[in-house]
Tab-separated table of all heavy atoms in Angstrom:
chain	number	residue	atom	x	y	z
A	284	PRO	N	92.722	63.372	-166.610
A	284	PRO	CA	93.833	64.116	-167.209
A	284	PRO	C	94.598	63.329	-168.263
A	284	PRO	O	95.119	63.918	-169.215
A	284	PRO	CB	94.722	64.444	-166.004
A	284	PRO	CG	93.792	64.469	-164.840
A	284	PRO	CD	92.773	63.398	-165.128
A	285	ASP	N	94.675	62.012	-168.110
A	285	ASP	CA	95.456	61.229	-169.072
A	285	ASP	C	94.623	60.688	-170.234
A	285	ASP	O	95.107	59.891	-171.030
A	285	ASP	CB	96.199	60.084	-168.378
A	285	ASP	CG	95.275	59.123	-167.657
A	285	ASP	OD1	94.046	59.390	-167.593
A	285	ASP	OD2	95.763	58.088	-167.151
A	286	ASN	N	93.369	61.131	-170.352
A	286	ASN	CA	92.580	60.798	-171.537
A	286	ASN	C	93.063	61.636	-172.730
A	286	ASN	O	93.539	62.757	-172.570
A	286	ASN	CB	91.092	61.077	-171.309
A	286	ASN	CG	90.406	60.033	-170.454
A	286	ASN	OD1	89.559	60.357	-169.614
A	286	ASN	ND2	90.762	58.767	-170.626
A	287	ALA	N	92.908	61.074	-173.914
A	287	ALA	CA	93.331	61.779	-175.124
A	287	ALA	C	92.457	63.008	-175.356
A	287	ALA	O	91.231	62.957	-175.216
A	287	ALA	CB	93.251	60.852	-176.326
A	288	ALA	N	93.101	64.127	-175.731
A	288	ALA	CA	92.379	65.351	-176.086
A	288	ALA	C	92.299	65.514	-177.606
A	288	ALA	O	91.287	65.972	-178.131
A	288	ALA	CB	93.054	66.571	-175.463
A	289	TYR	N	93.389	65.177	-178.300
A	289	TYR	CA	93.376	65.276	-179.752
A	289	TYR	C	94.398	64.326	-180.343
A	289	TYR	O	95.305	63.836	-179.659
A	289	TYR	CB	93.641	66.716	-180.220
A	289	TYR	CG	94.989	67.301	-179.826
A	289	TYR	CD1	96.143	67.036	-180.558
A	289	TYR	CD2	95.106	68.143	-178.718
A	289	TYR	CE1	97.370	67.579	-180.218
A	289	TYR	CE2	96.329	68.700	-178.367
A	289	TYR	CZ	97.453	68.415	-179.110
A	289	TYR	OH	98.674	68.954	-178.755
A	290	VAL	N	94.253	64.086	-181.641
A	290	VAL	CA	95.230	63.310	-182.417
A	290	VAL	C	95.573	64.144	-183.643
A	290	VAL	O	94.716	64.380	-184.490
A	290	VAL	CB	94.680	61.941	-182.858
A	290	VAL	CG1	95.763	61.150	-183.581
A	290	VAL	CG2	94.141	61.161	-181.672
A	291	ILE	N	96.816	64.632	-183.709
A	291	ILE	CA	97.257	65.417	-184.849
A	291	ILE	C	98.205	64.568	-185.687
A	291	ILE	O	99.097	63.900	-185.151
A	291	ILE	CB	97.926	66.730	-184.400
A	291	ILE	CG1	96.825	67.745	-184.051
A	291	ILE	CG2	98.846	67.292	-185.476
A	291	ILE	CD1	97.329	69.114	-183.684
A	292	TYR	N	97.990	64.605	-186.983
A	292	TYR	CA	98.779	63.787	-187.903
A	292	TYR	C	99.914	64.593	-188.513
A	292	TYR	O	99.708	65.680	-189.043
A	292	TYR	CB	97.882	63.207	-189.000
A	292	TYR	CG	97.204	61.943	-188.541
A	292	TYR	CD1	96.105	61.996	-187.686
A	292	TYR	CD2	97.695	60.688	-188.893
A	292	TYR	CE1	95.487	60.843	-187.231
A	292	TYR	CE2	97.093	59.531	-188.447
A	292	TYR	CZ	95.998	59.606	-187.609
A	292	TYR	OH	95.417	58.455	-187.153
A	293	THR	N	101.121	64.052	-188.396
A	293	THR	CA	102.297	64.613	-189.069
A	293	THR	C	102.603	63.719	-190.267
A	293	THR	O	102.053	62.619	-190.399
A	293	THR	CB	103.510	64.650	-188.133
A	293	THR	OG1	103.939	63.302	-187.868
A	293	THR	CG2	103.160	65.325	-186.807
A	294	SER	N	103.513	64.182	-191.127
A	294	SER	CA	103.837	63.377	-192.312
A	294	SER	C	104.644	62.144	-191.939
A	294	SER	O	104.625	61.142	-192.642
A	294	SER	CB	104.617	64.223	-193.322
A	294	SER	OG	105.806	64.702	-192.739
A	295	GLY	N	105.352	62.200	-190.794
A	295	GLY	CA	106.178	61.066	-190.403
A	295	GLY	C	107.419	60.956	-191.272
A	295	GLY	O	107.524	61.588	-192.319
A	296	SER	N	108.364	60.141	-190.856
A	296	SER	CA	109.618	60.007	-191.604
A	296	SER	C	109.416	59.263	-192.921
A	296	SER	O	110.249	59.347	-193.827
A	296	SER	CB	110.657	59.273	-190.747
A	296	SER	OG	110.154	58.016	-190.341
A	297	THR	N	108.308	58.531	-193.050
A	297	THR	CA	108.065	57.752	-194.266
A	297	THR	C	107.207	58.499	-195.267
A	297	THR	O	107.023	58.041	-196.394
A	297	THR	CB	107.354	56.434	-193.916
A	297	THR	OG1	106.063	56.738	-193.354
A	297	THR	CG2	108.159	55.635	-192.912
A	298	GLY	N	106.654	59.647	-194.874
A	298	GLY	CA	105.744	60.371	-195.746
A	298	GLY	C	104.301	59.957	-195.569
A	298	GLY	O	103.388	60.612	-196.062
A	299	ARG	N	104.047	58.855	-194.848
A	299	ARG	CA	102.682	58.431	-194.555
A	299	ARG	C	102.243	59.114	-193.258
A	299	ARG	O	103.011	59.202	-192.298
A	299	ARG	CB	102.610	56.909	-194.403
A	299	ARG	CG	101.197	56.397	-194.134
A	299	ARG	CD	101.143	54.876	-194.076
A	299	ARG	NE	99.806	54.408	-193.728
A	299	ARG	CZ	98.806	54.283	-194.591
A	299	ARG	NH1	99.013	54.573	-195.868
A	299	ARG	NH2	97.626	53.854	-194.201
A	300	PRO	N	101.016	59.617	-193.194
A	300	PRO	CA	100.561	60.309	-191.986
A	300	PRO	C	100.750	59.465	-190.730
A	300	PRO	O	100.490	58.253	-190.723
A	300	PRO	CB	99.072	60.542	-192.264
A	300	PRO	CG	98.951	60.542	-193.749
A	300	PRO	CD	99.984	59.568	-194.235
A	301	LYS	N	101.220	60.110	-189.666
A	301	LYS	CA	101.465	59.431	-188.394
A	301	LYS	C	100.722	60.204	-187.301
A	301	LYS	O	100.959	61.397	-187.113
A	301	LYS	CB	102.961	59.400	-188.094
A	301	LYS	CG	103.309	58.732	-186.757
A	301	LYS	CD	104.809	58.768	-186.503
A	301	LYS	CE	105.318	60.181	-186.331
A	301	LYS	NZ	106.746	60.237	-185.928
A	302	GLY	N	99.820	59.535	-186.614
A	302	GLY	CA	98.999	60.195	-185.611
A	302	GLY	C	99.704	60.302	-184.272
A	302	GLY	O	100.238	59.316	-183.757
A	303	VAL	N	99.715	61.510	-183.709
A	303	VAL	CA	100.296	61.748	-182.387
A	303	VAL	C	99.146	62.031	-181.411
A	303	VAL	O	98.397	62.982	-181.599
A	303	VAL	CB	101.267	62.946	-182.415
A	303	VAL	CG1	101.832	63.214	-181.022
A	303	VAL	CG2	102.387	62.697	-183.415
A	304	VAL	N	99.016	61.179	-180.399
A	304	VAL	CA	97.945	61.313	-179.419
A	304	VAL	C	98.446	62.159	-178.252
A	304	VAL	O	99.467	61.851	-177.653
A	304	VAL	CB	97.498	59.926	-178.895
A	304	VAL	CG1	96.343	60.076	-177.912
A	304	VAL	CG2	97.111	59.013	-180.053
A	305	VAL	N	97.728	63.241	-177.949
A	305	VAL	CA	98.123	64.151	-176.872
A	305	VAL	C	96.990	64.223	-175.851
A	305	VAL	O	95.818	64.333	-176.210
A	305	VAL	CB	98.451	65.554	-177.427
A	305	VAL	CG1	98.793	66.517	-176.299
A	305	VAL	CG2	99.603	65.466	-178.421
A	306	THR	N	97.350	64.173	-174.573
A	306	THR	CA	96.359	64.127	-173.497
A	306	THR	C	95.978	65.522	-173.014
A	306	THR	O	96.652	66.506	-173.278
A	306	THR	CB	96.906	63.335	-172.304
A	306	THR	OG1	98.023	64.058	-171.746
A	306	THR	CG2	97.345	61.941	-172.713
A	307	HIS	N	94.901	65.569	-172.242
A	307	HIS	CA	94.467	66.829	-171.637
A	307	HIS	C	95.552	67.416	-170.739
A	307	HIS	O	95.811	68.623	-170.764
A	307	HIS	CB	93.185	66.601	-170.811
A	307	HIS	CG	91.974	66.354	-171.643
A	307	HIS	ND1	91.146	67.357	-172.078
A	307	HIS	CD2	91.440	65.203	-172.138
A	307	HIS	CE1	90.152	66.851	-172.793
A	307	HIS	NE2	90.311	65.544	-172.839
A	308	GLN	N	96.196	66.566	-169.931
A	308	GLN	CA	97.178	67.100	-168.983
A	308	GLN	C	98.390	67.688	-169.702
A	308	GLN	O	99.010	68.627	-169.207
A	308	GLN	CB	97.612	66.024	-167.993
A	308	GLN	CG	98.355	64.848	-168.591
A	308	GLN	CD	98.597	63.743	-167.563
A	308	GLN	OE1	98.238	63.878	-166.396
A	308	GLN	NE2	99.181	62.640	-168.013
A	309	ASN	N	98.715	67.183	-170.888
A	309	ASN	CA	99.838	67.742	-171.634
A	309	ASN	C	99.547	69.165	-172.091
A	309	ASN	O	100.425	70.035	-172.050
A	309	ASN	CB	100.155	66.867	-172.849
A	309	ASN	CG	100.911	65.611	-172.464
A	309	ASN	OD1	101.295	65.436	-171.319
A	309	ASN	ND2	101.099	64.734	-173.420
A	310	VAL	N	98.319	69.406	-172.547
A	310	VAL	CA	97.953	70.752	-172.992
A	310	VAL	C	97.911	71.709	-171.800
A	310	VAL	O	98.396	72.847	-171.870
A	310	VAL	CB	96.597	70.737	-173.715
A	310	VAL	CG1	96.208	72.158	-174.152
A	310	VAL	CG2	96.642	69.810	-174.932
A	311	VAL	N	97.353	71.251	-170.689
A	311	VAL	CA	97.249	72.105	-169.503
A	311	VAL	C	98.639	72.457	-168.973
A	311	VAL	O	98.911	73.602	-168.605
A	311	VAL	CB	96.390	71.428	-168.422
A	311	VAL	CG1	96.440	72.225	-167.122
A	311	VAL	CG2	94.947	71.303	-168.901
A	312	ARG	N	99.544	71.487	-168.932
A	312	ARG	CA	100.889	71.782	-168.411
A	312	ARG	C	101.653	72.724	-169.332
A	312	ARG	O	102.452	73.527	-168.864
A	312	ARG	CB	101.712	70.517	-168.154
A	312	ARG	CG	102.092	69.713	-169.371
A	312	ARG	CD	103.544	69.256	-169.388
A	312	ARG	NE	104.448	70.365	-169.559
A	312	ARG	CZ	104.803	70.882	-170.743
A	312	ARG	NH1	104.285	70.392	-171.860
A	312	ARG	NH2	105.657	71.886	-170.810
A	313	LEU	N	101.402	72.646	-170.652
A	313	LEU	CA	102.035	73.576	-171.579
A	313	LEU	C	101.688	75.020	-171.206
A	313	LEU	O	102.566	75.882	-171.100
A	313	LEU	CB	101.571	73.286	-173.006
A	313	LEU	CG	101.888	74.365	-174.052
A	313	LEU	CD1	103.385	74.443	-174.313
A	313	LEU	CD2	101.122	74.095	-175.347
A	314	LEU	N	100.419	75.286	-170.981
A	314	LEU	CA	99.986	76.648	-170.684
A	314	LEU	C	100.303	77.039	-169.248
A	314	LEU	O	100.599	78.199	-168.962
A	314	LEU	CB	98.502	76.784	-170.985
A	314	LEU	CG	98.236	76.726	-172.494
A	314	LEU	CD1	96.829	76.285	-172.801
A	314	LEU	CD2	98.533	78.059	-173.141
A	315	ASP	N	100.287	76.078	-168.342
A	315	ASP	CA	100.634	76.375	-166.944
A	315	ASP	C	102.120	76.722	-166.817
A	315	ASP	O	102.495	77.652	-166.098
A	315	ASP	CB	100.286	75.171	-166.066
A	315	ASP	CG	100.503	75.453	-164.593
A	315	ASP	OD1	99.900	76.411	-164.069
A	315	ASP	OD2	101.293	74.729	-163.957
A	316	SER	N	102.968	76.000	-167.540
A	316	SER	CA	104.405	76.202	-167.395
A	316	SER	C	104.883	77.493	-168.053
A	316	SER	O	105.956	77.999	-167.730
A	316	SER	CB	105.170	75.011	-167.991
A	316	SER	OG	104.972	74.935	-169.388
A	317	THR	N	104.104	78.031	-168.981
A	317	THR	CA	104.485	79.285	-169.640
A	317	THR	C	103.792	80.502	-169.028
A	317	THR	O	104.049	81.632	-169.449
A	317	THR	CB	104.150	79.230	-171.144
A	317	THR	OG1	102.774	78.851	-171.309
A	317	THR	CG2	105.038	78.222	-171.861
A	318	ASP	N	102.945	80.287	-168.041
A	318	ASP	CA	102.182	81.386	-167.459
A	318	ASP	C	103.094	82.453	-166.865
A	318	ASP	O	102.862	83.654	-167.016
A	318	ASP	CB	101.227	80.844	-166.383
A	318	ASP	CG	100.229	81.887	-165.922
A	318	ASP	OD1	99.947	82.821	-166.687
A	318	ASP	OD2	99.732	81.767	-164.783
A	319	GLY	N	104.159	82.025	-166.182
A	319	GLY	CA	105.065	82.981	-165.568
A	319	GLY	C	105.831	83.819	-166.566
A	319	GLY	O	106.213	84.961	-166.279
A	320	LEU	N	106.041	83.283	-167.756
A	320	LEU	CA	106.780	84.008	-168.781
A	320	LEU	C	105.915	85.048	-169.479
A	320	LEU	O	106.353	86.180	-169.727
A	320	LEU	CB	107.340	83.022	-169.816
A	320	LEU	CG	108.088	83.630	-171.012
A	320	LEU	CD1	109.363	84.339	-170.540
A	320	LEU	CD2	108.420	82.555	-172.040
Side-chain angles (χ1 to χ4, degrees):
D285 59 354
N286 284 141
Y289 62 82
V290 184
I291 280 184
Y292 276 77
T293 69
S294 59
S296 57
T297 63
R299 182 176 176 82
K301 179 182 65 173
V303 178
V304 182
V305 177
T306 66
H307 288 270
Q308 65 187 358
N309 283 354
V310 179
V311 172
R312 66 135 291 275
L313 166 69
L314 290 156
D315 185 58
S316 65
T317 52
D318 191 24
L320 177 65

